[in-house]
PDB file of all heavy atoms in Angstrom:
ATOM      1  N   ASN A  44     -26.256  31.681  64.744  1.00 93.00           N
ATOM      2  CA  ASN A  44     -25.967  30.296  64.355  1.00 93.00           C
ATOM      3  C   ASN A  44     -27.252  29.610  63.942  1.00 93.00           C
ATOM      4  O   ASN A  44     -28.280  29.765  64.602  1.00 93.00           O
ATOM      5  CB  ASN A  44     -25.342  29.522  65.516  1.00 93.00           C
ATOM      6  CG  ASN A  44     -23.876  29.865  65.683  1.00 93.00           C
ATOM      7  OD1 ASN A  44     -23.192  30.170  64.706  1.00 93.00           O
ATOM      8  ND2 ASN A  44     -23.408  29.844  66.917  1.00 93.00           N
ATOM      9  N   GLY A  45     -27.194  28.863  62.839  1.00 95.00           N
ATOM     10  CA  GLY A  45     -28.370  28.147  62.364  1.00 95.00           C
ATOM     11  C   GLY A  45     -29.293  28.993  61.506  1.00 95.00           C
ATOM     12  O   GLY A  45     -30.348  28.524  61.066  1.00 95.00           O
ATOM     13  N   GLY A  47     -28.932  29.877  58.522  1.00 97.00           N
ATOM     14  CA  GLY A  47     -28.969  29.421  57.128  1.00 97.00           C
ATOM     15  C   GLY A  47     -27.885  30.025  56.254  1.00 97.00           C
ATOM     16  O   GLY A  47     -27.905  29.861  55.033  1.00 97.00           O
ATOM     17  N   LYS A  48     -26.899  30.666  56.857  1.00 97.00           N
ATOM     18  CA  LYS A  48     -25.860  31.360  56.091  1.00 97.00           C
ATOM     19  C   LYS A  48     -25.017  30.378  55.276  1.00 97.00           C
ATOM     20  O   LYS A  48     -24.793  30.570  54.086  1.00 97.00           O
ATOM     21  CB  LYS A  48     -24.966  32.183  57.039  1.00 97.00           C
ATOM     22  CG  LYS A  48     -25.741  33.148  57.927  1.00 97.00           C
ATOM     23  CD  LYS A  48     -24.842  33.929  58.881  1.00 97.00           C
ATOM     24  CE  LYS A  48     -24.042  33.086  59.866  1.00 97.00           C
ATOM     25  NZ  LYS A  48     -24.883  32.363  60.875  1.00 97.00           N
ATOM     26  N   SER A  49     -24.534  29.320  55.934  1.00 97.00           N
ATOM     27  CA  SER A  49     -23.707  28.338  55.206  1.00 97.00           C
ATOM     28  C   SER A  49     -24.530  27.594  54.171  1.00 97.00           C
ATOM     29  O   SER A  49     -24.033  27.282  53.085  1.00 97.00           O
ATOM     30  CB  SER A  49     -23.075  27.342  56.180  1.00 97.00           C
ATOM     31  OG  SER A  49     -22.125  27.987  56.996  1.00 97.00           O
ATOM     32  N   THR A  50     -25.783  27.319  54.499  1.00 98.00           N
ATOM     33  CA  THR A  50     -26.651  26.641  53.534  1.00 98.00           C
ATOM     34  C   THR A  50     -26.863  27.529  52.311  1.00 98.00           C
ATOM     35  O   THR A  50     -26.836  27.048  51.170  1.00 98.00           O
ATOM     36  CB  THR A  50     -27.994  26.264  54.182  1.00 98.00           C
ATOM     37  OG1 THR A  50     -27.738  25.466  55.342  1.00 98.00           O
ATOM     38  CG2 THR A  50     -28.874  25.485  53.222  1.00 98.00           C
ATOM     39  N   GLN A  91     -16.438  27.049  55.595  1.00 85.00           N
ATOM     40  CA  GLN A  91     -16.341  27.295  57.039  1.00 85.00           C
ATOM     41  C   GLN A  91     -15.412  26.268  57.684  1.00 85.00           C
ATOM     42  O   GLN A  91     -14.600  26.591  58.544  1.00 85.00           O
ATOM     43  CB  GLN A  91     -17.747  27.213  57.640  1.00 85.00           C
ATOM     44  CG  GLN A  91     -17.804  27.508  59.118  1.00 85.00           C
ATOM     45  CD  GLN A  91     -19.244  27.624  59.625  1.00 85.00           C
ATOM     46  OE1 GLN A  91     -20.203  27.526  58.873  1.00 85.00           O
ATOM     47  NE2 GLN A  91     -19.380  27.847  60.918  1.00 85.00           N
ATOM     48  N   ASP A 168     -16.954  31.840  53.834  1.00 97.00           N
ATOM     49  CA  ASP A 168     -17.742  31.394  54.995  1.00 97.00           C
ATOM     50  C   ASP A 168     -16.847  31.326  56.227  1.00 97.00           C
ATOM     51  O   ASP A 168     -16.104  30.360  56.415  1.00 97.00           O
ATOM     52  CB  ASP A 168     -18.379  30.025  54.700  1.00 97.00           C
ATOM     53  CG  ASP A 168     -19.539  29.715  55.648  1.00 97.00           C
ATOM     54  OD1 ASP A 168     -19.737  30.477  56.621  1.00 97.00           O
ATOM     55  OD2 ASP A 168     -20.234  28.712  55.408  1.00 97.00           O
ATOM     56  N   GLU A 169     -16.924  32.364  57.045  1.00 96.00           N
ATOM     57  CA  GLU A 169     -16.192  32.432  58.315  1.00 96.00           C
ATOM     58  C   GLU A 169     -14.688  32.196  58.139  1.00 96.00           C
ATOM     59  O   GLU A 169     -14.084  31.423  58.881  1.00 96.00           O
ATOM     60  CB  GLU A 169     -16.812  31.459  59.334  1.00 96.00           C
ATOM     61  CG  GLU A 169     -18.289  31.778  59.564  1.00 96.00           C
ATOM     62  CD  GLU A 169     -18.803  31.329  60.916  1.00 96.00           C
ATOM     63  OE1 GLU A 169     -17.989  31.129  61.832  1.00 96.00           O
ATOM     64  OE2 GLU A 169     -20.033  31.198  61.060  1.00 96.00           O
ATOM     65  N   VAL A 198     -19.634  35.807  54.824  1.00 97.00           N
ATOM     66  CA  VAL A 198     -20.335  35.448  56.059  1.00 97.00           C
ATOM     67  C   VAL A 198     -19.327  35.459  57.197  1.00 97.00           C
ATOM     68  O   VAL A 198     -18.292  34.799  57.114  1.00 97.00           O
ATOM     69  CB  VAL A 198     -20.941  34.025  55.947  1.00 97.00           C
ATOM     70  CG1 VAL A 198     -21.442  33.554  57.311  1.00 97.00           C
ATOM     71  CG2 VAL A 198     -22.059  33.982  54.919  1.00 97.00           C
ATOM     72  N   HIS A 200     -18.982  36.339  61.760  1.00 93.00           N
ATOM     73  CA  HIS A 200     -19.595  36.833  63.002  1.00 93.00           C
ATOM     74  C   HIS A 200     -18.843  38.033  63.578  1.00 93.00           C
ATOM     75  O   HIS A 200     -19.080  38.396  64.727  1.00 93.00           O
ATOM     76  CB  HIS A 200     -19.607  35.728  64.067  1.00 93.00           C
ATOM     77  CG  HIS A 200     -20.654  34.678  63.841  1.00 93.00           C
ATOM     78  ND1 HIS A 200     -22.000  34.955  63.872  1.00 93.00           N
ATOM     79  CD2 HIS A 200     -20.551  33.367  63.564  1.00 93.00           C
ATOM     80  CE1 HIS A 200     -22.679  33.834  63.636  1.00 93.00           C
ATOM     81  NE2 HIS A 200     -21.819  32.860  63.441  1.00 93.00           N
TER      82      HIS A 200
HETATM   83 MG1   MG B 302     -22.305  28.503  59.021  1.00 65.75          MG
END
Side-chain angles (χ1 to χ4, degrees):
N44 282 329
K48 306 179 299 294
S49 292
T50 304
Q91 183 171 358
D168 198 351
E169 302 206 21
V198 170
H200 284 296

